[in-house]
Amino acid sequence: MDVSETDLPGVGKRFEFGIGGGETVVIVVHNTGRREVFVRPEPGADAEAVLDLTDQQARVVGSILEGAYFQPVATDTTTTTIGDNVMLEWYTLDEDAPLVGKSLEEANVRSETGATIAAIERGGDVIQSPDPDWMFEAEDHLIVVGTRKHHEQFAAEAT
Amino acid sequence: MVIAVAGELIEVGVMFAAVALAGAIARGLRQSVIPFYIVSGMLLNPFVAGELTETFLGREFAVGRSVEAAHFIELGAELGIVFLLFFLGLEFNLDRLLASRGRIGTVGIIDLVINFGAGLVVGFVLFGDVLAAFVLAGMVYISSSAIITKSLIDLGWIANEESSPLLGTLVFEDLFIAVYLAVLSALVTGGGDVTEAAFSVGLGLGFILVLLLVVAVGTALFTFIIRTESNESITLRVTGVTVLVAGAALTLGVSEAVAAFFVGMAFSGTGRVKKLEQLLEPVRDIFAAVFFFWIGLVTDPMLFAGVSGGIVIAVAATTPTKLLSGFWSGKVYALDDRRSTRVALGMVTRGEFTLIIASTVLAVSDGGGAITAATANELNAFAVGYVLVMSVLGTMLMQYSGVFETRVTAWRSDE
């Protein structure tokens, strides 16, 4: 999918992408953090305002759309790229995963694999920056940050 | 002492209350706040409210008579100019301009040649003086970035293609006006002597070169200056650097506005533009309002009578020129007739920079510069009257653009 980007000097940036049927979504990101979402019903038409969000509201909407609040389809891993080569990935621990039964400190994930565990979801609760004595269990969902190489290492050694 | 300060404090309080009220009225009428701030200053100025209150209430209760309050407001207005130009520099991105220099350059030059050229002619006809014509040309050439950008957002045009030529032209104008102000303040300070004028223009341009050099190599220094997480410290440090450099420039006889522009540009290289904008926006808004109030305050409405003919001529001549250059700019960006019409209507609004030019001329004319105080006051009254008309006219043209779009597309398809 092509996302076109236009600078709006003094205002911010404008992003546009087609969503089929001739419709285009136009998002204006203001320097102030405000985000405006428009839909252009057909090429050449005026974009119609749909949403006008504050920075914080936009982040909530964004993470819902991204699936971070709720995953409609069960997938083992979901990748989000941050910057050019850093990725955020979800992992679910199987019963026989090497991590299960170890504490965060023992597992020493960062020096072993280079990847960082940013958060853990267990039974619907999200634990951000878990303590060193956190014990891994099967069915824990891990949110891991790292480069592609770090992720490969992590997938091979930890899950 | 206490009583004297109380007198000043209440005048400054009256000023802030007046601009706040003016802003509320403007928002209610869906108009730009700038003409309303100016009018509030005019209503409270010594020539209007001063005379009235002195006649009816006596000298002690006269409004606008406190010399100290007037000094504070003048200084506040000066800070308004500094912060307006600082923001311009902050949002100015040289790399971005160079990346799209082809189209921005083309529309910028179309806009400059047509409108500055028309301004020179109108200025010479009205004042019969080359320097005054140069001043007036700048006043009618420069559109209002503040009002036009706000209208683009309010009307939702920001999501459409017409915003590109509009914002592109404004970027070109902003860069041009930085150089223009440096030359202008040198020319009007320089007296009638050609060598002296050449020297001060040289000094002004030399100062720009030094600042450009600082912008180019000083990013590390400016990054270091704001290396703190305390919002309070960042605000104070940036204000300290900006006002100090602007003051130093003015002391050297160089435009403080231009200096502020380059300081803004230097800070834009630090990668913390968003943060700086968020923190300093309220500071700019307060002092910019003081600036517009002040320009109304120092304008004797009686002078309008003398320049009203000139204002009518300038409005009649420079509205069509902006429409022409705007429509053409739309075509350079390959827009259809409807969107090109919007670009044309969008460029009509003049505002803050016209007034900054007026105040630059006004400031140096007292010291026996190349422009007499009488001419400077006439040019100032002209600028105020012209901006009052063009800011309201431009905003209305954008709001009712639908009517013009239909007319233009019908007319063009008949041909």
Side-chain angles (χ1 to χ4, degrees), chain A residues 6-14 16 26 28-34 36 38 40 44-47, chain B residues 91 96 149 153 156-164 167-168 171 274 277-278 281 336 338-339 342 405:
Chain A
T6 313
D7 273 317
L8 304 170
V11 180
K13 276 182 194 287
R14 182 174 69 213
E16 295 188 27
V26 182
V28 176
V29 181
H30 294 251
N31 289 334
T32 54
R34 177 182 175 195
E36 286 183 284
F38 300 80
R40 182 176 301 132
D46 278 335
Chain B
E91 285 162 2
R96 190 191 295 155
T149 307
I153 296 171
W157 291 10
I158 199 77
N160 299 323
E161 287 167 322
E162 59 267 21
S163 60
S164 290
L167 292 171
V171 166
K274 254 189 192 178
E277 284 184 352
Q278 275 169 9
E281 203 178 61
D336 59 23
R338 196 160 71 92
R339 296 197 187 283
R342 287 191 185 171
E405 290 165 29

Side-chain angles (χ1 to χ4, degrees), chain B residues 247-297:
Chain B
L250 204 55
T251 312
L252 286 172
V254 190
S255 164
E256 76 287 12
V258 179
F261 176 84
F262 283 102
V263 173
M265 227 168 124
F267 275 112
S268 77
T270 62
R272 299 188 73 180
V273 175
K274 254 189 192 178
K275 183 88 183 166
L276 295 180
E277 284 184 352
Q278 275 169 9
L279 290 176
L280 289 153
E281 203 178 61
V283 182
R284 177 201 61 185
D285 290 347
I286 285 182
F287 289 111
V290 174
F291 169 68
F292 296 122
F293 179 88
W294 171 80
I295 202 106
L297 199 65

Side-chain angles (χ1 to χ4, degrees), chain A residues 90-144:
Chain A
W90 274 253
Y91 294 89
T92 306
L93 296 183
D94 296 334
E95 272 175 33
D96 53 356
L99 277 185
V100 172
K102 283 187 183 168
S103 73
L104 188 62
E105 198 174 8
E106 274 177 291
N108 207 6
V109 169
R110 193 174 323 185
S111 29
E112 294 291 327
T113 67
T116 309
I117 299 178
I120 299 170
E121 188 196 330
R122 178 184 291 172
D125 296 327
V126 177
I127 298 97
Q128 201 208 332
S129 310
D131 294 329
D133 56 0
W134 169 273
M135 295 296 289
F136 290 104
E137 291 174 12
E139 292 305 306
D140 279 352
H141 301 284
L142 313 182
I143 297 151
V144 178

